[in-house]
């Protein structure tokens, strides 16, 4: 059983493994997994890559790390 939180409202649900994983896969920004099988779980978010617009002068003017 997974315990997940629906972030927009803050409601917490306890769902079976399959259902919780499906929700997390379909809506990754809306749900956060709190516990897996009664043990606390910490999610690691992946960094979003920035898309470079070649038509813009912004990338030529601003230096990024």
């Amino acid at each position: 059983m997974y315990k997940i939180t629906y972030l927009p409202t803050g409601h917490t649900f306890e769902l079976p493994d399959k259902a919780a994983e499906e929700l997390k896969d379909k809506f990754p920004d809306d749900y956060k997994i709190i516990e897996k099988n009664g043990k606390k779980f910490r999610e690691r978010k992946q960094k979003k890559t920035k898309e470079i617009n070649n038509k813009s002068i912004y990338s030529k003017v601003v230096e990024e790390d």
Side-chain angles (χ1 to χ4, degrees):
M1 296 292 280
Y2 281 31
K3 188 181 259 188
I4 63 171
T5 300
Y6 184 58
L7 296 175
T9 61
H11 290 92
T12 303
F13 303 98
E14 196 163 321
L15 298 172
D17 301 346
K18 241 182 190 180
E21 288 177 3
E22 286 178 13
L23 282 174
K24 185 66 180 165
D25 290 339
K26 289 182 181 177
F27 310 102
D29 295 333
D30 290 342
Y31 290 94
K32 179 179 180 183
I33 298 175
I34 299 172
E35 292 182 4
K36 280 187 178 182
N37 301 322
K39 296 181 181 178
K40 291 190 178 188
F41 179 76
R42 185 172 183 182
E43 287 186 55
R44 296 182 185 181
K45 292 198 173 193
Q46 296 178 354
K47 293 182 179 179
K48 295 182 181 179
T49 55
K50 294 182 182 178
E51 294 182 21
I52 299 173
N53 185 357
N54 292 332
K55 295 180 181 178
S56 173
I57 193 169
Y58 182 80
S59 62
K60 296 176 182 175
V61 176
V62 177
E63 292 182 18
E64 294 186 24
D65 296 330

